[in-house]
Amino acid sequence: MDVQIEQSWKDVLQPEFDKPYFAHIVQFLKVEKQAGKVIFPPGPYIFNAFNTTPFDKVKVVILGQDPYHNPHQAHGLCFSVQDGIAPPPSLVNIFKEMEADLGITRPNHGNLQKWAEQGILLLNASLTVEMNKPMSHSKIGWHDFTNSVIQTLSDKREKLVFILWGGFAKSKLNLIDTSKHCVLTAAHPSPLSAHNGFFGCKHFSKTNEWLQQNNISPIDWSL
């Protein structure tokens, strides 16, 4: 099955693309589109996280759950929105924590492409969603795929930073070898939970401390 994904990812994930569940994902999306359903992100952006951050360039993994389900928001990078779209509440809180942690002025946009280009894999557990229907594609097989992505990174790479915000992201901890990777956990940045431990987590500075301790160039978090 030919999936339009960056070559280094295609090489390590080919076994997944050949499995029946992945054929089911492809068929499901095809049928939905033929039925006139609007799917986000648009087709060319479904694998944007992978195409922007090649496998061998990943330094940090930030895990999200579901793409944004309103028009013009999702573009295949978790928590990120396209240019011209106001940052959603969770992203506003991420920027607040970044500012408190590093003194970086909050940007006036919500496009995290610059982070992805520096080696931050902005991975949603589901890579698609139907318009106005949150979590609508969470059971079609994407979690099998993204669990494999996390496991493959853990197994085949060294000294990565995995950032897990919220209960769902923390549930992926068992896929990560904590003896060779750094795992940072906190509450979700959503307004419902950010005050329960997201604010003050200092994950931005902690990420750079780990990278520098392991002779890996730090992230420029400014946008």
Side-chain angles (χ1 to χ4, degrees):
M1 184 180 306
D2 186 40
V3 175
Q4 299 303 309
I5 192 171
E6 190 273 335
Q7 190 60 47
S8 65
W9 283 109
K10 187 172 273 194
D11 293 343
V12 294
L13 296 175
Q14 192 59 54
E16 300 305 306
F17 298 135
D18 293 336
K19 288 179 180 174
Y21 83 80
F22 201 87
H24 172 263
I25 293 173
V26 173
Q27 182 62 24
F28 176 90
L29 293 175
K30 203 175 284 183
V31 169
E32 292 289 279
K33 284 181 178 174
Q34 286 170 349
K37 306 253 179 93
V38 178
I39 308 295
F40 296 135
Y45 286 117
I46 290 175
F47 292 104
N48 192 20
F50 302 89
N51 294 334
T52 308
T53 314
F55 178 76
D56 49 357
K57 297 285 194 294
V58 175
K59 299 178 183 180
V60 180
V61 181
I62 297 179
L63 188 65
Q65 188 164 2
D66 203 43
Y68 295 121
H69 54 85
N70 294 326
H72 312 302
Q73 288 184 310
H75 63 136
L77 306 176
C78 74
F79 293 108
S80 180
V81 287
Q82 299 185 53
D83 287 328
I85 302 296
S90 290
L91 186 53
V92 169
N93 284 340
I94 289 170
F95 291 156
K96 282 181 184 174
E97 174 59 23
M98 181 179 76
E99 186 172 36
D101 185 9
L102 300 175
I104 293 172
T105 305
R106 278 179 257 170
N108 59 3
H109 64 87
N111 191 332
L112 305 182
Q113 187 83 14
K114 184 181 168 189
W115 289 3
E117 289 168 356
Q118 294 182 76
I120 301 180
L121 183 70
L122 295 166
L123 180 67
N124 272 318
S126 294
L127 298 189
T128 58
V129 69
E130 185 181 340
M131 182 170 72
N132 300 329
K133 292 189 177 178
M135 307 299 295
S136 49
H137 291 181
S138 64
K139 301 281 200 299
I140 69 169
W142 280 130
H143 289 195
D144 292 328
F145 177 71
T146 51
N147 283 350
S148 177
V149 169
I150 295 165
Q151 184 106 52
T152 301
L153 283 164
S154 176
D155 291 349
K156 295 181 182 291
R157 293 291 312 280
E158 305 283 332
K159 297 178 170 52
L160 301 179
V161 180
F162 289 86
I163 297 177
L164 309 179
W165 291 329
F168 175 80
K170 290 177 196 172
S171 74
K172 306 298 182 178
L173 195 54
N174 64 324
L175 301 170
I176 303 164
D177 181 348
T178 55
S179 69
K180 64 174 182 169
H181 301 292
C182 173
V183 179
L184 300 174
T185 63
H188 196 277
S190 157
L192 299 174
S193 55
H195 292 281
N196 296 331
F198 175 75
F199 289 134
C201 71
K202 298 190 183 301
H203 282 180
F204 305 96
S205 59
K206 287 177 180 176
T207 293
N208 280 351
E209 284 166 15
W210 166 271
L211 294 174
Q212 289 172 304
Q213 284 166 4
N214 289 284
N215 300 312
I216 301 165
S217 59
I219 302 297
D220 174 6
W221 295 97
S222 65
L223 293 163

